[in-house]
Amino acid sequence: MLDPVDTSWPKLLARACEGSLATVAFAPIADLSRSVACGYEARMRLPLSGADASSWWAAAAHHGFGGRLAAAMLSAALARREELPANCLVSVTVTASAITSREVVRTLGQAGDLSTLLIHLADADAAIDPVSLQTALKRLRARGALVALPATGPGRAGIELVAELSPQFVTVGPELVSGIDRDPRRSTALAGVGALASDLDAWLLVRGVSTVGELGRLRELCVPLAQGPIIGAEQELMRGLAPAPRRLLRDWSDRRPDDLAELTEPVRALTARPQLVSERCVVTDGGGRPCEVVVPQPGGRPTVHPALCVLRVDRPREVALRAAARPVADQLAPVCIVDELGRVEGIVRVEVLLGVLARHT
């Protein structure tokens, strides 16, 4: 792999900026509630054995080609706007330094209406003049462009900048979503980002979703938009979601809010309260009847909640009301599903129950 400071980069970058090396591919963005593609991220395919896209952008920044390469990317993406399906956006990732460069300003200035363009701003750190950045974004928004900002990042790139610039989209990436189905702390963190996005009247877009488990957890958390390998690989044409993820999302959407059985998850039953846990579990008496629900927390020391026990045939809306009537500290603790003899069969997470009820209201 070429080092970003290698002297062979300028010639390669110049050719890429002229369009003689690069092609554009599109990765779908899924609307998780409708099970359809609502947008596509344009990605520049840049050939060079052993060099990925990040190597190209790092070399461009080092050799003074950042603005030119970003302008070439935008030009290639904007040229394909007529191919966008109805009610879809095309997303392009641009660094904060590039968005204020004369090359990008000129390219976007000649692009006409920008109402189908989503600019995902990356690497917006303290080195960028915030006044210049705000001015550039204000001009783009006035012409219809939408702005996305990552909620995590070094320096000022993160929550502080999101609150300051009030983007229409807030994004999180694999650093938070990876393994979210197995780590309650990641779910808690994502819920916090989602609350911020809601307060800003912005959409939450989760990027880098790679497993069915992660995608399922995002559905349970009512995340509206997602992208990643499990959603669909980048392709030359904008063809919508692949059959497998589309079928999976539609199957989840068909879950009925009047059937607790479809929401029940297996749970480990213990006869003594554990000191440390990595997953939710239920403490039972000698007959297998739930006494307490144990929920892991950051640091490993769990919280313990009295068991709320219901039957699979109970009405979900009534179960949700019973869960909400518990003390505040216990309201989001999982509900225990038991058989006619009171023995534990599984649990239903309250956030999953509320999400399904909300989608069918």
Side-chain angles (χ1 to χ4, degrees), residues 35 49 79 96 141 154 158 176 206 208 286 296 328:
S35 308
S49 178
R141 284 173 164 173
L176 182 58
V206 177
V328 173

Side-chain angles (χ1 to χ4, degrees), residues 84-357:
L84 274 172
N87 302 315
C88 284
L89 300 169
V90 60
S91 171
V92 181
T93 299
V94 182
T95 64
S97 56
I99 204 70
T100 57
S101 68
R102 65 178 182 274
E103 295 92 349
V104 168
V105 170
R106 181 170 59 249
T107 296
L108 292 176
Q110 299 170 348
D113 177 39
L114 300 178
S115 58
T116 57
L117 176 64
L118 173 61
I119 297 173
H120 183 240
L121 205 62
D123 302 329
D125 57 27
I128 304 301
D129 175 22
V131 176
S132 298
L133 181 58
Q134 284 186 326
T135 300
L137 295 180
K138 184 177 181 180
R139 288 173 179 167
L140 294 173
R141 284 173 164 173
R143 296 174 51 211
L146 301 170
V147 176
L149 279 175
T152 57
R156 296 180 67 252
I159 297 297
E160 179 185 348
L161 199 62
V162 166
E164 184 178 327
L165 296 180
S166 296
Q168 291 99 332
F169 291 78
V170 177
T171 68
V172 297
E175 69 280 354
L176 182 58
V177 72
S178 179
I180 195 170
D181 53 318
R182 304 185 304 275
D183 188 346
R185 294 168 294 184
R186 292 176 182 265
S187 294
T188 301
L190 183 61
V193 176
L196 172 63
S198 179
D199 289 344
L200 296 174
D201 196 23
W203 292 90
L204 176 61
L205 167 59
V206 177
R207 310 173 81 203
V209 186
S210 59
T211 70
V212 171
E214 292 168 359
L215 184 59
R217 186 65 181 126
L218 297 183
R219 281 276 304 181
E220 294 166 0
L221 292 171
C222 297
V223 169
L225 307 174
Q227 180 187 31
I230 193 66
I231 299 297
E234 58 184 51
Q235 298 182 7
E236 184 178 347
L237 301 177
M238 292 174 265
R239 293 178 172 171
L241 301 185
R246 183 172 64 245
R247 190 163 48 246
L248 180 64
L249 289 170
R250 287 179 177 172
D251 287 346
W252 283 335
S253 296
D254 290 340
R255 280 184 170 182
R256 292 177 294 149
D258 59 347
D259 191 351
L260 282 180
E262 293 193 15
L263 308 181
T264 301
E265 305 173 16
V267 68
R268 187 161 58 108
L270 306 174
T271 56
R273 182 188 299 176
Q275 295 299 311
L276 298 174
V277 294
S278 59
E279 59 184 359
R280 299 169 185 83
C281 58
V282 173
V283 179
T284 64
D285 62 14
R289 294 175 288 270
C291 301
E292 298 172 330
V293 177
V294 183
V295 179
Q297 298 296 326
R301 186 166 297 280
T303 55
V304 181
H305 310 270
L308 170 60
C309 298
V310 301
L311 297 171
R312 286 178 182 262
V313 296
D314 286 347
R315 294 172 59 86
R317 286 177 175 81
E318 295 177 358
V319 173
L321 289 173
R322 289 177 61 189
R326 295 181 290 183
V328 173
D330 301 319
Q331 286 176 349
L332 292 180
V335 174
C336 294
I337 304 298
V338 298
D339 62 17
E340 289 75 5
L341 298 178
R343 296 172 298 197
V344 64
E345 293 187 326
I347 58 171
V348 171
R349 284 183 271 174
V350 172
E351 62 268 30
V352 175
L353 175 61
L354 294 178
V356 171
L357 289 173

Side-chain angles (χ1 to χ4, degrees), residues 20-31:
S20 60
L21 279 181
T23 58
V24 177
F26 298 90
I29 300 170
D31 179 330

